[in-house]
Amino acid sequence: DAQAHGIDLENVPAGASVYYGETALNASNYSTAGSTTEITKTDAGEYTVHYYITKAGYEPAVGSGTFTINKAPLTVTAVPNSKFFDEEDPALQFIVGDTQNPEEEAAAFTGILQRADGVTPGDYAITQGTLALKDNGAFKAANYEINFTPSIFTTHKKSIAGVGILISGIVD
């Protein structure tokens, strides 16, 4: 969602100093290894934030919190396609989710869709093949997971009618 996420601390006494760190904090390192700036993350992953809370007259509170930012789904749908027997396969295409979403518009891809092998008339599955996300400016591929919707590629029978059949023979 590209929003900053972090841990939420509740019931912190008014006027207390809260230190945050990416490594464990204790009485001897909280002011050097920690910072009073809350640690937030925007990329997908699992994060642990350590804290040390101090206030005159109180025992310090020490602990950590873990949070996970899940990959956002990015819907990719294969477009149905077809050809007639003995023709070259046309390029396989796909549609990316809701293109009103600026993040989806920025998505970039590498690889190609594939279709199941076969040359005889019939239906063949269009699969994700090697299609994968790649970074594109502010768009980070690691923050997304492709939700792929397959489709069908149809090879149609060719019509013999109109081919120009020549019949020759001897007429008595």
Side-chain angles (χ1 to χ4, degrees), residues 63-104:
S64 64
T66 301
F67 63 97
T68 301
I69 300 174
N70 295 320
K71 290 183 177 191
L74 187 70
T75 302
V76 174
T77 303
V79 175
N81 210 332
S82 65
K83 71 170 189 172
F84 285 95
F85 180 74
D86 274 346
E87 291 179 349
E88 292 292 319
D89 279 11
L92 300 176
Q93 299 177 329
F94 58 90
I95 297 169
V96 178
D98 174 11
T99 56
Q100 300 302 313
N101 180 344
E103 290 176 2
E104 290 181 359

